[in-house]
């Protein structure tokens, strides 16, 4: 009776194309059009060709991802604004069609993390939030996710991405040591509050934060202590600590770590060789 019908799946496909091309403005325009078409359908009695064009969780997530991938100064603020619109729509309709999921929240955390890597004062006439302030915005969002544990729980990506936000801010603000301490604290927080075990990416983010501070040899040694506590540090882990010593003027310590890496590589090669021989 309603004739030819469109649905959100068709729009989501085009949104994904815009996301792949990095065309954020076109993705946002299309999302706004979907909201407008669906609202008009409701005002006209809930029928017509656009009654099924309501944006769903995937719709919003694709657009959120365009901001996270773009990673510009305003990315965090723009993604967060979109998340609030998503939550508002879900509350108005009282259903889960457009309700944010963990992908939504993690994507916004990623956008905040990118914005945290920009320094300088954001112009007063823009919505930009950068540097240390952006890192704290990521932490605020993580707090909100933890507060919804009855519905949704933060995962390893949530914590690791927030750690990355502080690591990025550590290189752009004067309080680099404080940023590294905040990143460090998230390791125990993810274990104690949610029982989430940190992985290499989590630890590498903390190492990066400490390596970017102006704490000199003290920060470099703390980096090494974290490295020693890791079960299976990666090449990135070792390289980050070497960089920390390098920036702190610890050439001997950096050389010692490189020598240890070489010894480990030889031991690993011998182990593999004997394994194949047997």
């Amino acid at each position: 009776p309603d004739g030819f019908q469109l649905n959100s799946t068709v729009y989501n496909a085009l949104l994904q194309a815009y996301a792949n091309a990095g065309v954020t403005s076109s993705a946002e325009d299309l999302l706004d059009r979907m909201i407008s078409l669906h609202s008009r359908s409701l005002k006209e009695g809930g029928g017509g060709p656009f009654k099924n064009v309501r944006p769903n969780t995937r719709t919003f997530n694709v657009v959120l991802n365009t901001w996270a991938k773009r990673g510009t100064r305003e990315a965090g603020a723009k993604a967060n604004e979109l998340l609030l619109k998503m939550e508002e729509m879900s509350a108005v309709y009282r259903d889960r069609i457009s309700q944010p999921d963990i992908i939504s929240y993690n994507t916004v955390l990623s956008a905040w993390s990118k914005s945290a890597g920009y320094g300088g004062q954001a112009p007063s006439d823009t919505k930009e939030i950068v540097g240390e302030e952006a890192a704290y915005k990521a932490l605020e969002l993580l707090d909100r996710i933890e507060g919804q544990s009855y519905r949704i729980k933060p995962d390893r990506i949530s914590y690791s991405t927030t750690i990355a936000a502080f690591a990025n801010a550590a290189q752009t603000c004067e309080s680099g040591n404080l940023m590294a301490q905040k990143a460090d604290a998230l390791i125990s927080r993810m274990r104690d509050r949610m029982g989430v075990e940190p992985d290499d990416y989590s630890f590498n983010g903390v190492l990066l934060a400490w390596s970017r501070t102006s704490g000199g040899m003290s920060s470099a040694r703390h980096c090494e202590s974290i490295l020693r506590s890791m079960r299976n540090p990666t090449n990135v882990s070792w390289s980050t600590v070497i960089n920390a010593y390098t920036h702190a003027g610890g050439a001997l310590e950096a050389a010692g770590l490189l020598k240890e890496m070489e010894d480990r590589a030889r031991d690993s090669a011998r182990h593999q060789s004997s394994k194949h021989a047997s």
Side-chain angles (χ1 to χ4, degrees):
D2 290 325
F4 186 76
Q5 295 271 323
L6 288 170
N7 59 37
S8 57
T9 304
V10 179
Y11 288 84
N12 288 350
L14 180 55
L15 280 171
Q16 189 62 60
Y18 286 143
N20 293 342
V23 191
T24 310
S25 58
S26 296
E28 285 206 318
D29 288 345
L30 185 56
L31 172 61
D32 289 340
R33 195 160 104 214
M34 289 177 71
I35 294 171
S36 175
L37 288 170
H38 184 258
S39 296
R40 192 183 311 161
S41 172
L42 290 178
K43 289 176 183 176
E44 294 171 354
F50 302 110
K51 69 176 184 179
N52 297 318
V53 180
R54 179 182 159 190
N56 55 30
T57 301
R58 172 163 171 73
T59 310
F60 279 99
N61 284 352
V62 172
V63 184
L64 285 171
N65 196 42
T66 64
W67 280 113
K69 286 174 67 177
R70 189 173 178 184
T72 49
R73 293 175 65 93
E74 75 275 20
K78 288 284 192 179
N80 196 66
E81 186 179 293
L82 195 54
L83 177 65
L84 294 177
K85 184 186 289 188
M86 192 178 183
E87 290 175 329
E88 182 183 340
M89 181 176 287
S90 179
V92 167
Y93 287 104
R94 298 181 180 179
D95 60 29
R96 297 183 178 182
I97 291 177
S98 59
Q99 189 175 55
D101 58 13
I102 193 60
I103 294 173
S104 316
Y105 289 111
N106 286 347
T107 305
V108 179
L109 285 172
S110 178
W112 279 128
S113 173
K114 303 287 178 59
S115 293
Y118 291 91
Q121 188 67 34
S124 58
D125 60 340
T126 71
K127 293 183 178 180
E128 293 176 7
I129 298 176
V130 297
E132 182 178 352
E133 189 179 355
Y136 279 115
K137 287 291 185 182
L139 188 59
E140 284 178 20
L141 181 54
L142 181 64
D143 288 339
R144 282 215 294 129
I145 303 170
E146 287 182 341
Q148 298 184 69
S149 58
Y150 62 91
R151 182 184 76 83
I152 196 169
K153 291 185 178 181
D155 57 15
R156 189 177 290 113
I157 294 173
S158 312
Y159 289 99
S160 297
T161 308
T162 308
I163 287 170
F166 283 107
N168 289 338
Q171 66 181 345
T172 64
C173 68
E174 294 179 0
S175 51
N177 269 35
L178 178 59
M179 297 295 98
Q181 289 167 16
K182 292 290 185 182
D184 219 334
L186 284 165
I187 292 290
S188 55
R189 175 170 166 171
M190 64 196 292
R191 283 171 169 155
D192 298 342
R193 288 198 188 179
M194 293 295 168
V196 177
E197 192 62 29
D199 61 5
D200 295 338
Y201 183 73
S202 314
F203 279 111
N204 286 345
V206 177
L207 290 173
L208 185 61
W210 281 108
S211 74
R212 286 173 166 175
T213 70
S214 55
M217 289 297 287
S218 175
S219 292
R221 290 192 183 100
H222 186 64
C223 265
E224 185 176 354
S225 72
I226 295 171
L227 177 74
R228 301 297 179 191
S229 73
M230 295 173 65
R231 288 183 183 175
N232 297 299
T234 64
N235 278 338
V236 172
S237 314
W238 286 89
S239 299
T240 304
V241 181
I242 288 174
N243 281 333
Y245 274 121
T246 300
H247 294 316
L252 287 176
E253 289 80 0
L257 286 175
L258 179 58
K259 172 69 166 56
E260 191 174 339
M261 289 180 74
E262 290 174 343
D263 291 342
R264 282 171 173 257
R266 291 189 189 97
D267 289 344
S268 177
R270 278 195 291 268
H271 177 70
Q272 290 297 322
S273 178
S274 62
K275 207 164 137 186
H276 289 310
S278 60

